[in-house]
Amino acid sequence: MLNLKFIQENPELVITKLKKKYFDASEIVSQITGLSVRKNEIQATADQCKSEMNKISKEVGLLIREGKTEQANAAKNRTAILKDSIRQLDEDFDRIDQEIFNLQVLIPNLPSDLVPEGRTPEDNLVVKSYGEIPVLPENSLPHWELAKKYDIIDFELGVKITGAGFPVYKGKGARIQRALISFFLDEARASGYLEIQPPLMVNEDSGFGTGQLPDKEGQMYHATEDNLYLIPTAEVPVTNLYRDVIVEAKDLPIKNTAYSACFRREAGSYGKDVRGLNRLHQFDKVEIVQIAHPDNSYELLDQMVAHVEGLVKKLELPYRILRLCGGDMSFTSALTYDFEVFSAAQEKWLEVSSVSNFESFQANRLKLRYRDEATKKPVIAHTLNGSALALPRILAALLENNQTPDGIRIPKVLVPYCGFEMID
RNA sequence: GGAGAGAUGGGUGAGUGGCUGAAACCACCGGUUUGCUAAACCGACGUACGGGUCAUUCUGUACCGGGGGUUCGAAUCCCCCUCUCUCCGCCA
């Protein structure tokens, strides 16, 4: 959510910048600025009335104490009209305030100047490509076949006990999952992140704070009995740790990491890109989250990208880093880098991480602020997060790329975590 | 699931109708004193929105879990909701 004052003061800037996201904000912005003027007028009048009211009330108190009942009653009579207008003004104020808010949440975050022009994923800018595309033997298999062959992931069993998109990991499949999680967490800790183990369910306020609610309500599993939501990513609980918090500037950046299972309804996803591990309703992910000072949030974004890059590199996977174009960016992001690894049997790039700077967009909703050291005033902080990393597609690529006639080779870095060198 | 208690500023916690945006203590911050640390003393110390100002400053309003009501006036009284804690039951 963009800051209201910012919209009021920079309406043209908002409109211009959002063209890059192919969002026409002109109508909304002009409505907002119009309503804001009206809102301020109402507040000025209402405040005046209330001030008058408070004055009279004090007077009445004094008069009663002095025993001047008649004068007190006279004063009381003066409040009737005031009371009516205050009620009316407050109603108008609340209505307009709500209208503004409803419009405000429709405006996407402004893209950073670094965001490339473009409308579709084809327009994303490849900022780096690394690693050899493996050439697989003749009879190589996609990961869902490999999973069956070595009996490490059972999709049908998942369907039986839960439904599609809830795979059952078995034996070395389960162990490699656990290995990846530990590896990712250890790497994050080495990069200075504090490990958090968050709840997997959150309340409505948290869903709102990170922007899943109300817009993406249908994406989350909802336990209606208790009105709790299964988290679609650890970003939700970990960022909400700082909802309604004012941190000290000297404590920035705050760096947290968390492993969590992630639950996504993925309503409306069908077809071949959902085969195997490509798209699941439940999957595992290690997330990194930073709360930053606006002055250096982009520097930190680069550090996060470097961290993720270190992970895929250590896993010996060919990868590329994309800077998303305006049309392909999320609603909330100011700048996003996607990581894709090449899945050799499927012969396609799979997105395994998305690292974003949200600037103050999330923090404004969360009321996450830091206290400026010079002015001592609270200022909206910046938030950033990224996957480091999501497991399923990493596993898919590992299985496919490392298949040999003798089995599937485990990357060196994972061997100590797995306790085995081959899946065979 | 049953019964009870409670929700006040960063924390503890006082406050049952006006002089309370809120005592006191602790923490934090600034200062004085002092070999250092510590202690003592003094001072400052919420947020949001609005108005005026180049700005420091000044000023109005709202906020004591959320919503509604009573009243000239509500942290305080009434109603509804949410959440937390304690005991019992169940249980990894």
Side-chain angles (χ1 to χ4, degrees):
Chain A
M1 185 167 73
L2 292 179
N3 184 270
L4 181 58
K5 199 173 272 180
F6 180 82
I7 300 172
Q8 286 172 304
E9 287 169 1
N10 308 281
E12 286 312 314
L13 184 73
V14 171
I15 294 167
T16 311
K17 289 212 167 194
L18 282 175
K19 283 182 182 156
K20 214 184 220 176
K21 280 194 172 179
Y22 298 91
F23 186 91
D24 181 6
S26 48
E27 183 62 28
I28 296 178
V29 167
S30 83
Q31 282 181 40
I32 287 180
T33 46
L35 286 167
S36 297
V37 171
R38 182 82 193 104
K39 184 177 120 175
N40 289 353
E41 287 168 3
I42 292 172
Q43 184 179 347
T45 318
D47 282 359
Q48 222 171 344
C49 291
K50 287 176 186 173
S51 176
E52 181 64 22
M53 191 78 170
N54 289 341
K55 222 176 282 173
I56 294 174
S57 294
K58 275 198 179 125
E59 233 174 271
V60 171
L62 282 172
L63 290 169
I64 289 176
R65 197 144 2 101
E66 290 166 10
K68 299 174 180 167
T69 322
E70 254 172 60
Q71 279 169 276
N73 285 333
K76 280 189 199 179
N77 290 335
R78 284 195 283 143
T79 62
I81 299 164
L82 271 176
K83 220 174 172 178
D84 265 1
S85 17
I86 288 172
R87 188 189 297 267
Q88 187 59 52
L89 287 163
D90 277 350
E91 264 172 38
D92 292 349
F93 182 90
D94 289 345
R95 199 191 61 245
I96 290 177
D97 196 45
Q98 186 62 45
E99 279 174 36
I100 290 173
F101 178 81
N102 291 344
L103 290 167
Q104 216 178 332
V105 296
L106 296 176
I107 304 177
N109 197 5
L110 305 185
S112 140
D113 290 340
L114 291 168
V115 170
E117 297 284 348
R119 192 186 275 275
T120 69
E122 284 71 47
D123 299 320
N124 292 335
L125 183 72
V126 179
V127 294
K128 184 162 184 180
S129 230
Y130 183 91
E132 297 282 311
I133 303 297
V135 182
L136 295 181
E138 191 69 10
N139 52 356
S140 59
L141 301 169
H143 68 269
W144 51 87
E145 300 287 351
L146 293 166
K148 188 173 274 182
K149 178 176 173 185
Y150 295 106
D151 196 24
I152 51 172
I153 307 171
D154 197 325
F155 292 97
E156 287 76 17
L157 208 45
V159 170
K160 173 186 161 189
I161 59 171
T162 307
F166 292 90
V168 176
Y169 301 86
K170 296 156 76 177
K172 286 184 173 174
R175 288 166 71 189
I176 197 170
Q177 289 282 104
R178 186 156 50 88
L180 283 165
I181 293 163
S182 293
F183 168 63
F184 292 150
L185 284 173
D186 282 353
E187 291 287 312
R189 191 157 41 83
S191 291
Y193 292 86
L194 176 71
E195 185 174 337
I196 302 282
Q197 197 174 76
L200 301 181
M201 299 182 101
V202 294
N203 57 28
E204 242 174 24
D205 286 347
S206 297
F208 176 81
T210 30
Q212 278 72 26
L213 296 176
D215 353 328
K216 299 182 204 151
E217 172 126 36
Q219 301 280 21
M220 288 194 289
Y221 288 98
H222 187 191
T224 51
E225 181 84 10
D226 297 291
N227 198 25
L228 296 173
Y229 295 84
L230 269 71
I231 58 170
T233 157
E235 164 199 344
V236 178
V238 173
T239 310
N240 271 284
L241 257 28
Y242 294 89
R243 170 155 49 83
D244 290 320
V245 169
I246 302 172
V247 299
E248 294 301 322
K250 66 173 164 49
D251 294 332
L252 298 174
I254 293 167
K255 301 169 73 175
N256 288 329
T257 185
Y259 153 72
S260 85
C262 302
F263 304 90
R264 298 184 182 180
R265 295 188 61 226
E266 301 288 2
S269 295
Y270 307 100
K272 61 176 165 45
D273 59 328
V274 305
R275 285 212 64 181
L277 294 169
N278 289 348
R279 191 179 296 275
L280 300 172
H281 288 304
Q282 179 183 325
F283 64 96
D284 298 283
K285 179 162 62 64
V286 171
E287 184 80 1
I288 50 177
V289 176
Q290 294 212 33
I291 294 160
H293 193 287
D295 287 352
N296 70 342
S297 63
Y298 279 93
E299 211 174 293
L300 297 171
L301 179 66
D302 290 342
Q303 287 176 21
M304 291 170 79
V305 168
H307 174 78
V308 174
E309 186 176 2
L311 299 178
V312 283
K313 206 178 250 180
K314 284 179 186 171
L315 290 172
E316 303 165 41
L317 291 168
Y319 64 89
R320 61 181 192 184
I321 306 173
L322 309 173
R323 190 189 289 161
L324 297 195
C325 70
D328 198 31
M329 290 176 78
S330 76
F331 187 82
T332 50
S333 172
L335 182 62
T336 297
Y337 289 97
D338 269 10
F339 277 75
E340 296 181 338
V341 297
F342 195 75
S343 190
Q346 299 186 77
E347 293 183 21
K348 65 179 183 186
W349 293 95
L350 301 178
E351 182 193 331
V352 292
S353 174
S354 193
V355 186
S356 304
N357 187 353
F358 302 98
E359 295 194 10
S360 57
F361 196 77
Q362 264 188 346
N364 194 43
R365 266 195 181 212
L366 291 160
K367 296 191 174 62
L368 194 186
R369 291 157 291 174
Y370 68 93
R371 197 171 293 283
D372 185 82
E373 287 191 308
T375 66
K376 303 288 178 202
K377 293 285 174 214
V379 182
I380 302 287
H382 281 193
T383 59
L384 307 92
N385 67 50
S387 355
L389 288 159
L391 269 67
R393 295 176 191 160
I394 287 286
L395 183 56
L398 284 178
L399 296 177
E400 293 184 10
N401 298 10
N402 296 349
Q403 57 185 302
T404 72
D406 304 325
I408 297 162
R409 186 184 58 79
I410 300 297
K412 271 200 297 295
V413 71
L414 281 184
V415 171
Y417 287 95
C418 285
F420 52 88
E421 288 176 15
M422 294 288 281
I423 296 173
D424 47 21

